[in-house]
């Protein structure tokens, strides 16, 4: 009862403070990357016959139809945009679209960063999400069954390419950049199905392929060192390292702890229910309170919490929600991938972290987005106290 009263008190206080909030924090978001954040650039001219991600059940959870996103619903960048009170970013190749609130330049299969340029003043008031990059670069030697050392040899070049892209954006006026690392690829059904290993090559607790996760870890460590260098070189620019690796590992190790708490109607900047764990909810309340009391916006109307529903990820071997039986228990089959004949979707994607064996579910992306916005999956969080106060 005490917690309920506290929640109502805090929510009412936020409602009052939001009424006097000033302009929004970011004027726009510009996003670059590959299929983890592609919002439809690959399908703006129509859906190619070969493109399974352009067919249902892709998009089933949120949009109700395929949008070109490689998930059942929203991606990390979509959650971030909505939480900041901005519209979903239009694909940069979209015709008759306006880009004054941002654009999504990501495209499935991207391997290197190419930066288009806009108004310098808009850049200074925008948030840039630069990646994830690297996954497709490493896939080239991996899927050709070349020695793993060849993929490791790519790491310095990939990281340097990302850094060059970041510096190009800074030169054009960008002052707020988010640079994500890569996922632990050894935990994903596509790799687990293709690369069969001896028992000792799998993590005892995760069931993931150790040497593939090491590749991801080495990339992320190199990227973080490069970000430290960039921060020293550009002290007036805020460069955030965003972590995909840790939350994905936690989804595998502690699935039951990532229950979905649906706050209806939640403390959101949009009309959609927000989903987050109890600890995330409490942290979010405190940060949002600091946010509005410090004179910054609460990103739209804030309403009282009226209901809480509990649901969790299933504790199971890494397994795709959408796919078909293949090698092992991973529900992934290269000849019948999600969206292709013979593949099917699980009944409830929100209790799976892996969507199609390659990409994540909307539920997973929601957790990661909130971890980037408020911590602990970003260094520093996009909306950390120091930045907001």
């Amino acid at each position: 009862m005490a917690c309920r009263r506290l929640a109502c008190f805090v929510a009412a206080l936020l409602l009052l403070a939001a009424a006097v909030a000033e302009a929004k924090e970011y004027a726009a978001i510009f996003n670059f990357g590959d299929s983890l954040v592609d919002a439809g650039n690959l399908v703006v001219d129509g859906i190619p016959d070969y493109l399974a991600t352009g067919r249902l059940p892709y998009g089933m959870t949120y949009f109700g139809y395929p949008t070109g996103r490689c998930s059942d619903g929203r991606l990390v960048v979509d959650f971030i945009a909505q939480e900041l009170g901005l519209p979903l970013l239009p694909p940069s190749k979209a015709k008759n679209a306006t880009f004054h609130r941002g654009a999504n330049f990501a495209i499935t299969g991207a391997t290197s960063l190419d930066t288009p340029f806009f108004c310098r003043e808009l850049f200074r008031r925008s948030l840039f999400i630069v990646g994830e990059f690297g996954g497709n670069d490493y896939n080239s030697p991996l899927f050709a069954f070349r020695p793993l050392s060849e993929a490791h040899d790519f790491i310095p070049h990939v990281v340097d390419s990302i850094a060059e892209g970041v510096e190009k954006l800074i030169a054009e006026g960008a002052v707020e950049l988010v640079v994500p690392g890569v996922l632990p690829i050894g935990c994903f059904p596509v790799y687990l199905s293709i690369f069969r290993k001896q028992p000792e090559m799998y993590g005892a607790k995760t069931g993931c392929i150790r040497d593939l996760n090491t590749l991801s870890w080495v990339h992320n460590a190199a990227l973080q060192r490069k970000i430290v260098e960039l921060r020293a070189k550009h002290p007036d620019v805020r460069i955030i390292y965003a972590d995909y690796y840790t939350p994905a590992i936690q989804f595998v190790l502690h699935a039951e702890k990532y229950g979905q708490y649906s706050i209806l109607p939640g403390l959101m900047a949009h009309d959609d229910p927000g989903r987050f764990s109890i600890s995330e909810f409490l942290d979010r309340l405190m940060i949002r309170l600091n946010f509005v009391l410090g004179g910054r916006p609460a990103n739209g109307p804030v309403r009282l919490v009226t209901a809480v529903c509990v649901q969790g990820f299933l504790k199971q071997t890494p397994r795709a929600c959408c796919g078909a039986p293949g090698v092992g228990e991973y529900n992934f089959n290269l000849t019948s991938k999600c969206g292709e004949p013979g593949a099917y979707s699980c009944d409830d994607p929100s209790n799976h972290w892996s969507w199609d064996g390659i990409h994540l579910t909307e539920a997973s992306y929601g957790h990661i987005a909130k971890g980037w916005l408020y911590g602990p999956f970003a260094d520093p969080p996009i909306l950390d106290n120091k930045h907001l106060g």
Side-chain angles (χ1 to χ4, degrees):
M1 182 63 70
C3 287
R4 188 173 181 180
R5 290 175 181 168
L6 176 61
C8 290
F9 170 77
V10 173
L13 184 59
L14 291 175
L15 180 64
L16 177 64
V20 296
E22 300 174 1
K24 292 189 180 297
E25 175 71 10
Y26 296 106
I29 298 176
F30 294 97
N31 182 78
F32 306 85
D34 57 16
S35 61
L36 291 183
V37 285
D38 183 358
N41 271 316
L42 209 58
V43 300
V44 292
D45 294 321
I47 300 173
D49 292 338
Y50 68 85
L51 190 65
T53 58
R55 299 192 289 268
L56 284 170
Y58 285 88
M60 60 177 278
T61 296
Y62 183 78
F63 302 98
Y65 57 89
T67 63
R69 290 169 172 81
C70 296
S71 183
D72 60 305
R74 289 166 290 181
L75 311 175
V76 169
V77 65
D78 297 321
F79 283 102
I80 290 174
Q82 289 180 319
E83 185 70 358
L84 296 178
L86 294 168
L88 299 184
L89 307 184
S92 60
K93 294 185 177 182
K95 297 174 176 61
N96 301 318
T98 59
F99 303 117
H100 65 285
R101 305 303 299 277
N104 192 326
F105 294 90
I107 188 165
T108 298
T111 58
S112 59
L113 184 61
D114 184 19
T115 57
F117 302 120
F118 290 90
C119 168
R120 186 180 183 89
E121 178 56 31
L122 179 60
F123 268 32
R124 295 191 62 81
R125 297 182 291 116
S126 299
L127 178 68
F128 289 83
I129 303 175
V130 189
E132 170 261 9
F133 288 107
N136 288 321
D137 297 274
Y138 305 132
N139 284 343
S140 179
L142 290 176
F143 290 155
F145 298 99
R146 302 295 300 167
L148 186 59
S149 60
E150 291 192 13
H152 277 272
D153 289 342
F154 282 5
I155 291 175
H157 305 289
V158 171
V159 169
D160 284 345
S161 178
I162 295 170
E164 289 169 7
V166 167
E167 295 216 76
K168 286 181 182 179
L169 291 170
I170 292 172
E172 293 298 316
V175 295
E176 297 260 350
L177 303 103
V178 178
V179 185
V182 297
L183 288 156
I185 60 174
C187 294
F188 280 74
V190 58
Y191 297 93
L192 288 162
S193 298
I194 293 173
F195 301 102
R196 307 300 291 169
K197 302 283 187 176
Q198 295 299 315
E200 64 272 14
M201 298 298 291
Y202 296 88
K205 294 181 179 180
T206 64
C208 304
I209 300 173
R210 295 176 185 231
D211 57 5
L212 292 181
N213 278 358
T214 297
L215 173 67
S216 298
W217 187 91
V218 172
H219 166 95
N220 291 340
L223 181 60
Q224 289 176 78
R225 289 194 297 271
K226 183 62 69 172
I227 288 173
V228 170
E229 294 176 12
L230 291 172
R231 287 169 178 164
K233 187 176 180 180
H234 303 281
D236 295 329
V237 175
R238 191 165 179 260
I239 306 174
I240 298 164
Y241 172 73
D243 189 356
Y244 271 122
Y245 189 101
T246 301
I249 289 290
Q250 291 190 8
F251 297 158
V252 177
L253 288 175
H254 307 294
E256 69 283 357
K257 294 184 179 180
Y258 279 84
Q260 303 290 308
Y261 286 79
S262 299
I263 308 301
L264 302 172
L267 301 176
M268 302 295 290
H270 47 87
D271 292 330
D272 306 306
R275 291 179 173 180
F276 32 88
S277 69
I278 287 178
S279 62
E280 289 173 319
F281 173 59
L282 294 175
D283 289 343
R284 184 173 177 177
L285 278 177
M286 294 306 298
I287 292 175
R288 187 63 64 84
L289 184 60
N290 289 335
F291 194 32
V292 294
L293 293 181
R296 298 300 184 92
N299 299 323
V302 180
R303 298 179 293 279
L304 294 179
V305 174
T306 59
V308 179
C309 304
V310 181
Q311 185 179 18
F313 287 155
L314 297 176
K315 182 68 174 178
Q316 60 184 0
T317 300
R319 179 179 173 84
C321 165
C322 182
V327 178
E329 304 175 4
Y330 311 114
N331 197 40
F332 182 86
N333 192 320
L334 277 173
T335 64
S336 189
K337 299 186 294 297
C338 184
E340 297 177 345
Y344 60 91
S345 171
C346 63
D347 292 335
D348 186 359
S350 72
N351 61 27
H352 283 64
W353 64 267
S354 174
W355 165 241
D356 57 6
I358 305 169
H359 309 95
L360 300 173
T361 58
E362 172 178 288
S364 298
Y365 285 132
H367 275 302
I368 294 170
K370 291 177 179 69
W372 289 8
L373 284 162
Y374 303 103
F377 303 138
D379 177 26
I382 296 170
L383 299 180
D384 71 315
N385 286 321
K386 181 178 179 181
H387 182 54
L388 298 175

